[in-house]
C-alpha cells in the first residue's frame, strides 16, 4: 500500500509515528495522523480547509473529545438536547480521580508502533479515494478524505471544526 503514497503523504505517516512516540502512546492512531496532516500551516490539508483549522484548535478539540470519552461536539450537543450535560457528567466522574487516571494505554518507546484499527481504516479509505478517481498516487488530500470518511473520532473532531467530507471533496473538483 505505501508504495502508492506520494512523498508528502509518506512524510505525514512518518510524522504520525513520531507523534505517537513522542506522546508515549501504544499505537499510532488517527489523532496522530491528523496532527501530522495539519502540522504545517501551509500544507495541503490546511489549504483545503481554508486555513481556518489550526493545529492548536485541533489539539484542543481532541483533548475535549478524549475528556468526554471520545464524544465529539455533535454527540455532546445531541445529548444536551436530551437534557444531559456531558461536561458536567465527566467533571463529576473525574472529581475523585488523579488527572492521569483517564489517560489511554501507554507503551515504553520502541522501534515499532502498530497502527490502531481506526488509523488502518482511514488509510484504507484514503486508498479507496485514489482508486475511485482512477489515480495511482495517494496524497495528503486522500489521507484527509480517508479520515473524514472513517466516521470515527477524527471525523467528529474535524467536523466540529467545520471540516466536512463533501466540502473538501467539492474543493478538489
Amino acid at each position: 500500500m505505501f508504495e502508492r503514497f506520494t512523498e508528502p503523504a509518506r512524510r505525514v505517516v512518518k510524522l504520525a509515528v513520531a507523534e505517537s512516540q513522542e506522546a508515549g502512546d501504544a499505537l499510532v492512531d488517527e489523532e496522530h495522523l491528523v496532527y501530522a496532516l495539519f502540522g504545517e500551516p501551509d500544507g495541503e490539508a490546511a489549504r483545503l480547509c481554508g486555513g481556518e483549522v489550526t493545529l492548536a484548535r485541533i489539539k484542543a478539540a481532541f483533548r475535549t473529545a478524549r475528556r468526554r470519552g471520545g464524544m465529539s461536539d455533535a454527540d455532546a450537543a445531541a445529548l444536551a438536547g436530551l437534557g444531559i450535560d456531558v461536561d458536567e457528567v465527566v467533571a463529576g466522574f473525574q472529581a475523585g480521580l488523579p488527572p492521569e487516571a483517564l489517560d489511554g494505554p501507554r507503551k515504553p518507546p520502541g522501534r515499532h508502533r502498530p497502527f490502531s484499527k481506526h488509523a488502518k481504516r482511514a488509510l484504507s479509505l484514503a486508498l479507496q479515494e485514489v482508486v475511485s478517481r482512477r489515480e495511482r498516487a495517494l496524497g495528503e488530500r486522500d489521507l484527509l478524505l480517508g479520515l473524514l470518511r472513517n466516521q470515527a473520532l477524527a471525523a467528529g473532531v474535524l467536523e466540529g471544526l467545520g471540516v466536512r467530507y463533501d466540502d473538501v471533496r467539492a474543493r478538489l473538483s
Side-chain angles (χ1 to χ4, degrees):
M1 175 201 267
F2 288 108
E3 65 275 358
R4 296 183 81 171
F5 281 47
T6 63
E7 191 52 43
R10 287 177 192 208
R11 186 175 62 245
V12 167
V13 172
K14 289 176 185 175
L15 288 171
V17 171
E19 285 278 348
S20 171
Q21 288 175 328
E22 189 174 306
D25 292 333
L27 301 170
V28 178
D29 204 357
E30 50 176 359
E31 178 178 353
H32 304 113
L33 289 167
V34 173
Y35 291 168
L37 263 177
F38 287 89
E40 294 182 32
D42 59 342
E44 186 173 16
R47 283 194 313 273
L48 284 170
C49 299
E52 298 166 8
V53 179
T54 64
L55 185 58
R57 288 183 64 205
I58 289 169
K59 285 188 175 192
F62 268 108
R63 274 192 305 274
T64 299
R66 278 194 315 272
R67 184 176 170 270
R68 292 177 178 158
M71 280 191 200
S72 67
D73 287 341
D75 295 333
L79 288 171
L82 298 173
I84 300 169
D85 184 338
V86 173
D87 291 323
E88 187 177 303
V89 171
V90 170
F93 179 74
Q94 285 182 320
L97 299 174
E100 68 280 355
L102 299 179
D103 287 349
R106 299 289 184 199
K107 175 182 176 179
R111 291 182 47 95
H112 176 71
R113 285 273 193 276
F115 283 70
S116 71
K117 68 178 182 173
H118 291 299
K120 288 178 186 177
R121 176 139 170 80
L123 294 174
S124 176
L125 290 168
L127 184 58
Q128 287 180 21
E129 287 292 324
V130 173
V131 171
S132 74
R133 290 192 314 271
R134 298 177 190 213
E135 295 179 359
R136 297 188 53 79
L138 187 150
E140 292 176 80
R141 66 185 180 181
D142 304 304
L143 293 173
L144 177 59
L145 291 169
L147 285 160
L148 291 168
R149 277 186 60 199
N150 199 19
Q151 293 303 308
L153 180 59
V157 165
L158 290 170
E159 287 173 4
L161 295 171
V163 180
R164 290 174 180 68
Y165 175 84
D166 291 335
D167 296 339
V168 173
R169 186 73 193 238
R171 287 186 188 116
L172 296 174
S173 302

